[in-house]
Amino acid sequence: MSVTLSIIYLIATVTFIVGLKKLGHPDTAKSGNLIAASGMGLAIVGTIFIHDLEVPTIIYVLIGVAILVGSIIGWLIAIKVEMTKMPELVSLFNGFGGASAALIGIVEFGNADISATSASIVATILAAIIIGAITFSGSLMAYGKLNGSVKSVIKIPQYNIVNNIFIIGVVALAAYLVATGIDSSILLYALVAGGLVYGVLFVMPIGGADMPVVISLLNSLTGIAAAITGVLYDNMVMLVGGILVGSAGIILTIAMCVAMNRTLVSVIFGSFTATGGPESANKAMGSIKSTTASDTAIMMNYATNVIIVPGYGLAVAQAQHVIHELEELLTSKGVNVKYAVHPVAGRMPGHMNVLLAESNVEYDMLVEMDDINPQFNNTDVVLVVGANDVVNPAAHNDPSSPIYGMPILDVENAKHIVVNKRSMNVGYAGIDNELFYNAKTAMLFGDAKKVLTDLVSELKNM
Amino acid sequence: MSVTLSIIYLIATVTFIVGLKKLGHPDTAKSGNLIAASGMGLAIVGTIFIHDLEVPTIIYVLIGVAILVGSIIGWLIAIKVEMTKMPELVSLFNGFGGASAALIGIVEFGNADISATSASIVATILAAIIIGAITFSGSLMAYGKLNGSVKSVIKIPQYNIVNNIFIIGVVALAAYLVATGIDSSILLYALVAGGLVYGVLFVMPIGGADMPVVISLLNSLTGIAAAITGVLYDNMVMLVGGILVGSAGIILTIAMCVAMNRTLVSVIFGSFTATGGPESANKAMGSIKSTTASDTAIMMNYATNVIIVPGYGLAVAQAQHVIHELEELLTSKGVNVKYAVHPVAGRMPGHMNVLLAESNVEYDMLVEMDDINPQFNNTDVVLVVGANDVVNPAAHNDPSSPIYGMPILDVENAKHIVVNKRSMNVGYAGIDNELFYNAKTAMLFGDAKKVLTDLVSELKNM
Amino acid sequence: MKIGILKESTKGDKRVSISPFITKKLVKKGFEVFVEEGAGVKSLSEDAEYEALGATITSREGVFKSAQVLVKINPFDKNDLKQVKKDHVLISQLYHKSNPELIKAIAETGATAFSMDAMPRISRAQDMDVLSSQNNLAGYKAVILGAYEMTKIFPLMMTAAGTITPSKVLIYGVGVAGLQAIATAKRLGAVVEATDIRTETKEQAESLGAKFISVENSGEESEGGYAKEASEDYQKRQKEAVNKSLFQADLVITTAMVPGKKAPTLITKDQVKQMKNGAVIIDLAAAQGGNCEVSKLNETVKIKGVKVIGTTVAPESVSTNASDLYAKNIYNFIKHLTKDQNFEWDLEDEITDETLIVKDGVQRKN
Amino acid sequence: MKIGILKESTKGDKRVSISPFITKKLVKKGFEVFVEEGAGVKSLSEDAEYEALGATITSREGVFKSAQVLVKINPFDKNDLKQVKKDHVLISQLYHKSNPELIKAIAETGATAFSMDAMPRISRAQDMDVLSSQNNLAGYKAVILGAYEMTKIFPLMMTAAGTITPSKVLIYGVGVAGLQAIATAKRLGAVVEATDIRTETKEQAESLGAKFISVENSGEESEGGYAKEASEDYQKRQKEAVNKSLFQADLVITTAMVPGKKAPTLITKDQVKQMKNGAVIIDLAAAQGGNCEVSKLNETVKIKGVKVIGTTVAPESVSTNASDLYAKNIYNFIKHLTKDQNFEWDLEDEITDETLIVKDGVQRKN
Amino acid sequence: MEELIEFISNNLQIVYIIILAIFVGVELIKSIPAVLHTPLMSGANALSGVVIVGAILVMLHSDPTDYLALALGFVAVVLGILNVVGGFAVTNRMLEMFKKKK
Amino acid sequence: MEELIEFISNNLQIVYIIILAIFVGVELIKSIPAVLHTPLMSGANALSGVVIVGAILVMLHSDPTDYLALALGFVAVVLGILNVVGGFAVTNRMLEMFKKKK
Ligand SMILES: NC(=O)c1ccc[n+]([C@@H]2O[C@H](COP(=O)([O-])OP(=O)(O)OC[C@H]3O[C@@H](n4cnc5c(N)ncnc54)[C@H](OP(=O)(O)O)[C@@H]3O)[C@@H](O)[C@H]2O)c1
Ligand SMILES: NC(=O)c1ccc[n+]([C@@H]2O[C@H](COP(=O)([O-])OP(=O)(O)OC[C@H]3O[C@@H](n4cnc5c(N)ncnc54)[C@H](OP(=O)(O)O)[C@@H]3O)[C@@H](O)[C@H]2O)c1
Ligand SMILES: NC(=O)c1ccc[n+]([C@@H]2O[C@H](COP(=O)([O-])OP(=O)(O)OC[C@H]3O[C@@H](n4cnc5c(N)ncnc54)[C@H](O)[C@@H]3O)[C@@H](O)[C@H]2O)c1
Ligand SMILES: NC(=O)c1ccc[n+]([C@@H]2O[C@H](COP(=O)([O-])OP(=O)(O)OC[C@H]3O[C@@H](n4cnc5c(N)ncnc54)[C@H](O)[C@@H]3O)[C@@H](O)[C@H]2O)c1
């Protein structure tokens, strides 16, 4: 390999590392992405043009066409698709990567004189094929699930056992091929098919909410497939890049599980137990979305206007000092913060006033209901802390509700609503709250003091 | 090289990485050190016994004796020396490492047929020698400075220029050797001498307070020397281990500068400006020691009894909410926390009471002077926040002082005293405070609110 | 529609049922407002102010003559009723459950009467709920009164001349008044304890920083947010649980009530005798018979160094705020009862139904 | 040594100079203590309590006869002096700068007199500093008194019946009393502003959450921690700076004093007239002539809806704490003056020197 | 096992590279705010498209007459570049929300 | 420059290893509490004693009659092991202060 190409690969590898590193921080993520992308571009261009092979023009043309076509399609899809469809798109693209790896393996299997090739190379080729195939079909499956096109969830007991026996069979077949050095395309295609089937079987039983974890896992697998292909070609950028993606992917997968309060094992194997969580709280009203302190912190950090709605729960949690800290922190970051005080929030007239005065919240940060209601339109994030009835739209919409006719804080007009409470329990009036099922609402479950403390520390790290 | 040895080296390398990683967290640091040490032991034993050379017994004996002698001496020194002498010891050991690298280079220079050896290998050998020599003499110099045996600080202007010309000369000589391939031991020894002299010159002008930074920097150099030697022998454990130490060392050096609020450049080149800092505040009373939020946090985290002494500065900074948070956090970590309230702390009777009541500090956490004074004996850390006169021992010791005869909080009896204030300014009574110059006292400068907030976040990360 | 604001005739009451600010709002909405001369003086609202905002100042008789709707805070009394005519609509507090004669007298005039204190305790009625708005102020003022009467200060102070220990405050009844009393005493630095028959008040009291004294509670629950009368057994258990705190308290504020019933006796004379020398009891339930056996309305009884102050005047003593809030309540209530400045009553509606005590001379509730 | 505790004869003063707790300490140290009958009753300390702790209860005459050291809070008056003899040592507040006749009268008896209010304001004298200990309580009680007198509540409250805006409190003089007043008003939720002639008080006021109204201040500085008399020019500038706040204030508390001088007049009648209807002024400097032009000691003057209350009784009204603190001050002072229960005065010592006004019939200070 | 050992000794430096790369990957990603999980996953996904390099190599090495290999290689390149371009573009879009306000 | 390029192409994997190791070192150390700076420095110092391996190799490869080399090697081993043993021991002592209380 030419020295220039080596150096190009080296540079690309470094851009991958730096890019990944920068992707880990909100402020630098964008530039990280660009850096990694340009490194990738460099590696691709380098690979095409710097080599000492005699390559017929037609092949260049084909490569050019392939790249052009793929780029345009990829670009268009990425640009056109709605924001909410992003995760399934990632899954789709990931599947393509896996397919690409599998195809390379298939070609190389064809090219190589298997019986004469060293066992380790054959093993490498087969690994690339199997992993690539699994990733491909698994990702498509995940795509379908997120998409809503695949709905069925297999619910036979001992499913996992069947699943595991199947993959063991596939691996055994591969091992047999490696050991014997048989050059059989039938067996090869059997392997490919096995991988494809396993990918489907693997993803099938996992619930929709867990899909992101699965995608991350499959993504990690694609990285490994790329690395294996790298070994095949003794190509450092593929090797290192693949390994990076592989290891980072695994850690990311685990981090996602932790953030969802689950273990990786329970995501993959626990699929027969309840889909769990407060999701199942009120089927009639739709489903709720829960969020994390970390996500909320980011959202608030990048917001221009934030309104805090304190309620009785703030008093119960005695979180007045922390909320003041949060407000000060946001203000120091240039966010415009106000408190919307509903006249009957809490359990006595002026309850919120006493509470917030205790933590020295400036009086002019507290805004009365009538004055703040028109401002919600213009608000990026509303943080509802331990309030319930005072933000219940049933007061407007539901004449049968005991609170019908009571004026409320119109938090629904804000761009994002984050509601902190400990559970889906009702408030004083004893009625459900539609707001929690609003598409713009994310629930941030937990004791207000704990949650706000987390928010503060997340914000401090940004 | 035998496969076994390769694997041993691989394992050792991994232990180095894991060890370093664990050293970065207080709870795991000890095990990290042990892990790295056992990896090192493995590598050493492996090197001695696993090879396919014909080695005469006498050499084994010599190696054995060397290791035995070195180990015993090293162990004894490390065990015997007082805790306060640790940094200079590190410097000393580091110098030995550098010397070892230089010696290896010298031997290899002798062994090699220089004119016939590739330029890159010669360059490698010379680099090991020069860097090793610089580290050796520089570390000894640093040792001497910390030790007090070397006191003189050269104060000629343009010193740096002289210094830089000198090292350029040394490098030029080395480059000449590499380029011409002359096998001259005189030139070699000239190089060695040059390295040694530069080491001394480099460290000479740097002030005592900056020594830890210099040691860290030299340490990083030793790592690089080891890595270079590793290249020489194509020895992976030396290479990777050395690079790890080299890069980690540089980052650590920078981190230390940041923690001291200095830049690396100002440490190395800024040596002619004032030694700076509040150190120079009151020569008559001795010198003060300043500390960081991070250090204080660790100290408190591992303490059993902590007493907080609030004073007027706490009120000025309006830090009552944060101090309550700190106290709650410490309590939740199993630390026994109390507030010692001096009857005249603040500017009005009951000032501290009003303040702490506002942040909901439980009344029974506040202890009166007479009740708490006997408890200081038994206290690991006293945190004095914005108090001054009420902890001024002049009230006991100095009959000419305007506060003589006033009862004070006997914080001096505690094991460690941390005093937070913004500067060395006096308090209400307008007099200096000996306490700040006490050997047990560390000053934590800054606005109380800011400093306590930092303390809280440091503690949360532990 | 013509609204008349009468001066409060009850001795010591400095409030006025409708403040200038609300007068302005009413006038703006198209109501005609008649104000009795000097009605607002004691709560710092001069006649001129009302006039400037578009109200007509007139004599008492003039108000009765000109206005259809007559508004007061305290119940209409015999004197008032003499001038009430058939088509008058009276709005005030009536305490109809404890005042059957008054109600009868009103019915006899053939007029219509709404009682503000009969407002249901439901979320959407909160802005017309005079009990809440006034009791809230009572809770605050009771603490101020207590602090004023005591010979000790509330907060803990560690001073050069020795440490002052914090005062201990005990609150009976954690309703609106009790909660505000807790909050105020706590703010001033006292150590506050509280007790109530309704178990859900524990969390509420604690959310304001008080220690709650739980009395084992099996049967006695609340009803529609109000307490039911306590059983004798409960009373015994309550005494046991609270006595220790009572005997150490520097200030006791009692607010316990059961709607339509005499206030429960929570502190007997015997208990008072065992209290600390210098302690003060503020009995906010004095008008309903008192929570303390010895308390007398608007009097200070001294027993063995303990001052027992029976009062309800607390909201009157913060007349400016009290009038503003009462006025706002009335305003919301009138808004609720009217459409385009004309009455339109939905008797199915809980609020209208519960508060409409006498309709055209017919008594609806008792 | 024999110490005599006299009952306070000043009308309305409920304090006693030595509390039972300190009596116990004195007795334990070997002093003999004589207590006038009923001396402690008003501050809740019964004779029996003193007796149980080892003191002797006796008549007023008895105390004068038996004791060598006579302790009071208020200055010894003509009546008292009749019974004072040559070897008596009198300890009380004397305000010697404003009471030259009294001092002369004392000197004529040939006795020795210490004045507690002459205590130097130095760190080590703080535990004998009665001005601090009493003014501190005065600051607290002034706010309570104000809150009691007002027709508004202090805190901001956003309620269903409308929002109550927080009361505005303005404090003149940020000494010991002023600071405590700031703290107390702030605690209760008021918006607090303060002003003082001494510039260093800005930081102190702010450390308690008050807004400080700075008056451009060039010449007039403080002296030994006390304020000097303000120049006319300063007074003018002060009015300009403060007027806006004054005219919006709901409660004004004035505490400004200049030692040995008449209290400065900070609020003129004219200013009072421009204040809000319903505002309250508590003038704690009334005994020294008052900070408000119209204030009269122990009276409530009403001017155009503004109540001006001239008082100093504040600490007396928290007599329990006030007596405890005063007693502790006296105890520390006696400890300072004695060695093994015998007097041993070091006239070089600042504390002894400054407080010893009359020595064996010779007046030392004026 | 033996083969593994053999592989290690034959590819010692590769093994080091792999191990070090794993450490780098792990260290880079640990303690990332949850809100970045999805963009990061997406970014990593784009990076895994590095397999495109292999696909290009397949085509470059292909015999122009080996249509099967060419076709497969062609598809592999298309899929690979889809992964790369789409991946980075999607990531970029996701990160729009982190635009710093001034 | 040319030599550098040559070196890189000859030792490509070494270069990767060096670069990756640098990243690992950097990532491991960034954001360490200040109180650990000294122990960490000490631990890193002990690790730099890995040069002992080179010193041992020198001796193993020495001709038993080449006294100079032997002597130098001997000293190198002694100094190296001093660095290693002393370094780890000192670090261990420093870390005593982090003993977790129960
Ligand atoms: N202000 C007054 O004068 C007054 C008087 C009486 C009644 N009310 C009534 O009280 C209600 C007040 O409305 P609101 O929105 O303030 O309160 P709310 O409707 O009672 O809701 C409070 C919510 O806070 C949550 N919560 C409780 N403890 C928490 C904790 N530690 N951390 C986080 N969340 C916690 C609860 O949900 P989880 O259990 O799921 O956490 C609950 O749903 C109104 O219905 C009003 O009519 C008011
Ligand atoms: N309690 C009373 O009734 C009363 C009344 C009058 C006078 N005094 C006198 O006041 C003194 C009280 O003693 P004390 O120890 O509480 O206070 P102090 O002796 O006055 O010392 C306060 C210290 O706090 C520091 N400080 C100020 N602002 C700060 C901030 N924002 N953050 C951190 N530190 C800050 C200052 O040092 P930097 O400037 O370096 O930060 C100052 O040295 C005694 O001398 C007492 O006699 C008391
Ligand atoms: N939903 C609303 O919007 C709304 C509005 C205002 C009040 N409220 C609620 O109405 C309820 C009643 O409030 P209130 O202040 O008018 O009550 P209240 O004045 O009738 O009684 C005061 C308190 O005394 C307590 N009490 C009665 N008997 C007692 C006994 N024997 N021992 C101890 N305590 C006893 C009651 O439980 C109550 O808490 C409260 O829960 C309040 O929160 C609700
Ligand atoms: N060192 C100690 O130990 C100690 C003890 C107690 C008090 N002190 C200090 O003594 C000082 C005096 O306290 P005090 O309360 O007895 O003072 P004071 O009662 O004599 O006066 C009260 C306040 O009025 C202010 N004042 C006077 N004239 C004024 C004017 N024209 N306009 C505005 N304000 C005016 C004074 O500056 C003072 O702050 C304070 O600084 C206090 O902190 C010190």
Side-chain angles (χ1 to χ4, degrees), chain B residues 341-344 348-351 353-354 357 360 363 366-368, chain C residues 154-163 166 186 188-191:
Chain B
V341 179
H342 190 280
V344 304
M348 69 165 193
H351 201 161
N353 296 118
V354 176
N360 266 340
Y363 277 164
L366 311 184
V367 188
E368 287 182 76
Chain C
F154 271 24
L156 166 73
M157 277 192 200
M158 293 164 162
T159 78
T163 293
K186 189 77 198 163
L188 273 174
V191 174

Side-chain angles (χ1 to χ4, degrees), chain A residues 51-76:
Chain A
H51 50 75
D52 22 47
L53 299 170
E54 285 277 330
V55 178
T57 323
I58 175 73
I59 293 207
Y60 277 122
V61 172
L62 280 178
I63 293 179
V65 170
I67 287 187
L68 205 69
V69 170
S71 299
I72 293 175
I73 299 179
W75 182 261
L76 286 181

Side-chain angles (χ1 to χ4, degrees), chain D residues 17-18 71 91 116 326-335:
Chain D
S17 56
I18 297 204
V71 185
I91 301 180
M116 291 305 286
Y326 192 93
K328 187 81 185 285
N329 290 145
I330 294 283
Y331 174 75
N332 289 327
F333 187 55
I334 290 179
K335 259 197 351 196

Side-chain angles (χ1 to χ4, degrees), chain A residues 12-18 20 220 223 227 237-250, chain E residues 18 20-26 28-29 44 47, chain F residues 20:
Chain A
T13 308
V14 172
T15 66
F16 292 177
I17 297 178
V18 173
L20 263 186
S220 171
V237 75
M238 290 174 73
L239 175 64
V240 178
I243 294 286
L244 275 177
V245 172
S247 66
I250 295 278
Chain E
I18 291 175
L20 288 170
I22 290 176
F23 273 105
V24 172
V26 169
L28 287 179
I29 301 310
L47 281 184
Chain F
L20 288 170

Side-chain angles (χ1 to χ4, degrees), chain C residues 65-251:
Chain C
K65 277 208 187 104
S66 324
Q68 181 201 356
V69 182
L70 296 170
V71 184
K72 271 189 76 179
I73 296 178
N74 293 293
F76 284 78
D77 55 27
K78 292 247 167 67
N79 245 343
D80 298 331
L81 291 185
K82 284 182 197 149
Q83 307 197 42
V84 169
K85 281 168 299 175
K86 217 173 139 32
D87 56 348
H88 272 151
V89 175
L90 314 181
I91 301 180
S92 78
Q93 300 185 86
L94 291 175
Y95 306 104
H96 66 283
K97 293 206 181 178
S98 28
N99 278 340
E101 289 129 57
L102 174 66
I103 305 301
K104 216 181 269 166
I106 292 176
E108 277 161 14
T109 65
T112 296
F114 286 93
S115 178
M116 291 303 288
D117 60 293
M119 191 65 63
R121 241 55 191 286
I122 56 177
S123 289
R124 68 194 169 88
Q126 273 179 117
D127 57 1
M128 319 170 201
D129 182 356
V130 297
L131 284 186
S132 274
S133 72
Q134 305 296 302
N135 283 351
N136 178 37
L137 297 172
Y140 165 85
K141 197 74 187 204
V143 173
I144 298 294
L145 176 61
Y148 175 76
E149 293 285 350
M150 280 162 63
T151 59
K152 282 195 71 199
I153 67 170
F154 271 24
L156 166 73
M157 277 192 200
M158 293 164 162
T159 78
T163 293
I164 301 176
T165 52
S167 289
K168 297 201 169 135
V169 176
L170 175 61
I171 315 265
Y172 281 85
V174 184
V176 174
L179 281 172
Q180 193 59 259
I182 292 174
T184 308
K186 189 77 198 163
R187 279 185 132 158
L188 273 174
V191 174
V192 184
E193 291 182 304
T195 188
D196 197 297
I197 193 169
R198 291 180 298 128
T199 46
E200 69 261 37
T201 54
K202 179 174 195 295
E203 191 189 55
Q204 299 173 9
E206 283 169 356
S207 85
L208 287 162
K211 194 171 155 280
F212 191 79
I213 305 177
S214 293
V215 180
E216 218 188 293
N217 195 341
S218 39
E220 319 81 355
E221 279 306 302
S222 54
E223 201 173 58
Y226 284 109
K228 293 205 290 189
E229 223 170 349
S231 67
E232 236 170 77
D233 182 43
Y234 177 86
Q235 291 178 23
K236 220 184 100 222
R237 272 180 287 121
Q238 189 186 43
K239 287 212 176 66
E240 273 161 24
V242 182
N243 266 353
K244 198 172 148 243
S245 305
L246 178 65
F247 300 156
Q248 287 180 356
D250 296 295
L251 173 63

Side-chain angles (χ1 to χ4, degrees), chain B residues 153-164:
Chain B
V153 170
I154 300 179
K155 298 238 174 202
I156 51 170
Q158 272 81 49
Y159 181 91
N160 288 321
I161 296 176
V162 176
N163 235 351
N164 291 342

Side-chain angles (χ1 to χ4, degrees), chain B residues 321-343:
Chain B
H321 300 292
V322 201
I323 203 150
H324 179 44
E325 198 184 348
L326 177 71
E327 162 238 303
E328 281 188 317
L329 193 58
L330 284 172
T331 306
S332 76
K333 286 173 177 269
V335 183
N336 216 330
V337 190
K338 281 173 196 149
Y339 294 87
V341 179
H342 190 280

Side-chain angles (χ1 to χ4, degrees), chain B residues 17-325:
Chain B
I17 297 177
V18 172
L20 262 186
K21 190 177 157 85
K22 294 196 156 201
L23 269 169
H25 194 287
D27 282 344
T28 55
K30 254 193 116 152
S31 70
N33 190 45
L34 290 180
I35 289 174
S38 39
M40 183 68 84
L42 201 63
I44 293 174
V45 172
T47 310
I48 299 178
F49 294 109
I50 308 175
H51 51 74
D52 23 47
L53 299 170
E54 285 276 329
V55 178
T57 325
I58 176 72
I59 292 207
Y60 276 124
V61 172
L62 280 178
I63 294 178
V65 169
I67 288 189
L68 204 70
V69 171
S71 300
I72 293 177
I73 299 179
W75 181 260
L76 286 182
I77 300 182
I79 292 301
K80 286 279 163 65
V81 145
E82 301 158 42
M83 273 309 242
T84 51
K85 295 262 151 70
M86 291 287 170
E88 49 222 74
L89 209 58
V90 173
S91 183
L92 191 66
F93 289 143
N94 185 46
F96 293 162
S100 185
L103 288 177
I104 294 171
I106 293 171
V107 172
E108 288 301 330
F109 192 86
N111 286 350
D113 176 359
I114 296 302
S115 47
T117 314
S118 90
S120 61
I121 292 196
V122 176
T124 313
I125 293 179
L126 295 185
I129 293 176
I130 297 174
I131 297 180
I134 294 175
T135 326
F136 177 60
S137 65
S139 297
L140 286 191
M141 186 73 190
Y143 170 73
K145 281 210 159 200
L146 282 176
N147 207 15
S149 29
V150 179
K151 287 216 185 68
S152 68
V153 170
I154 300 179
K155 298 238 174 202
I156 51 170
Q158 272 81 49
Y159 181 91
N160 288 321
I161 296 176
V162 176
N163 235 351
N164 291 342
I165 291 177
F166 187 85
I167 184 66
I168 289 171
V170 173
V171 173
L173 177 58
Y176 173 74
L177 272 180
V178 171
T180 58
I182 300 178
D183 188 354
S184 148
S185 19
I186 295 186
L187 286 184
L188 177 70
Y189 287 114
L191 266 190
V192 173
L196 291 176
V197 171
Y198 181 71
V200 171
L201 292 180
F202 173 68
V203 177
M204 180 101 69
I206 299 174
D210 289 333
M211 270 310 125
V213 175
V214 173
I215 297 176
S216 178
L217 191 65
L218 291 172
N219 185 20
S220 171
L221 279 185
T222 316
I224 293 170
I228 291 174
T229 328
V231 172
L232 212 57
Y233 293 114
D234 196 9
N235 182 304
M236 295 302 272
V237 74
M238 289 174 77
L239 175 65
V240 178
I243 294 285
L244 275 177
V245 171
S247 66
I250 294 278
I251 296 295
L252 184 59
T253 308
I254 293 171
M256 288 168 96
C257 289
V258 169
M260 294 169 64
N261 235 329
R262 314 209 41 188
T263 64
L264 188 51
V265 174
S266 75
V267 167
I268 299 178
F269 298 117
S271 11
F272 295 113
T273 58
T275 33
E279 255 175 286
S280 42
N282 190 317
K283 288 289 169 215
M285 292 220 175
S287 73
I288 60 148
K289 207 163 60 227
S290 68
T291 184
T292 61
S294 167
D295 283 331
T296 310
I298 301 252
M299 215 152 81
M300 295 204 292
N301 193 40
Y302 291 91
T304 306
N305 295 310
V306 168
I307 293 180
I308 298 173
V309 176
Y312 178 57
L314 184 78
V316 172
Q318 288 287 295
Q320 61 270 41
H321 300 292
V322 201
I323 203 150
H324 179 44
E325 198 184 348

